[in-house]
Amino acid sequence: MTISLPDDLADYVARRVASGRYDSADAFLAELIVKDQDHRKLDDDELRDILTLAEESGVSDRRIPDILLETKAKLRDYL
């Protein structure tokens, strides 16, 4: 498989490899793919449970901008 990246992304990958954490660009990209797969592993039962809990929780009194800020902060901490 051959992957073409824009220069800025190719430079980023090269810097990550140069940092010593990865042996090659292949290793770096493979780790990214595994992380992506892990993030997407919700089976039907889990998704159904999440939706049921959401419905049962009722209407929130939080504002959408506050929810978005909280979610972005959680994502920053997670990544």
Side-chain angles (χ1 to χ4, degrees), residues 30-45:
E31 183 176 309
L32 288 180
I33 292 167
V34 169
K35 285 181 180 181
D36 182 68
Q37 288 174 330
D38 289 343
H39 288 195
R40 304 204 183 291
K41 285 185 182 174
L42 279 181
D43 66 24
D44 290 341
D45 291 334

Side-chain angles (χ1 to χ4, degrees), residues 42-54:
L42 279 181
D43 66 24
D44 290 341
D45 291 334
E46 289 175 306
L47 186 54
R48 200 171 289 110
D49 291 343
I50 290 169
L51 291 172
T52 300
L53 287 173

Side-chain angles (χ1 to χ4, degrees), residues 45-79:
D45 291 334
E46 289 175 306
L47 186 54
R48 200 171 289 110
D49 291 343
I50 290 169
L51 291 172
T52 300
L53 287 173
E55 287 177 346
E56 291 173 352
S57 71
V59 177
S60 176
D61 59 351
R62 297 185 309 162
R63 297 175 335 114
I64 291 175
D66 297 333
I67 294 170
L68 290 173
L69 285 173
E70 180 182 324
T71 302
K72 287 177 184 177
K74 286 180 183 178
L75 286 173
R76 275 192 301 274
D77 291 343
Y78 185 73
L79 300 175

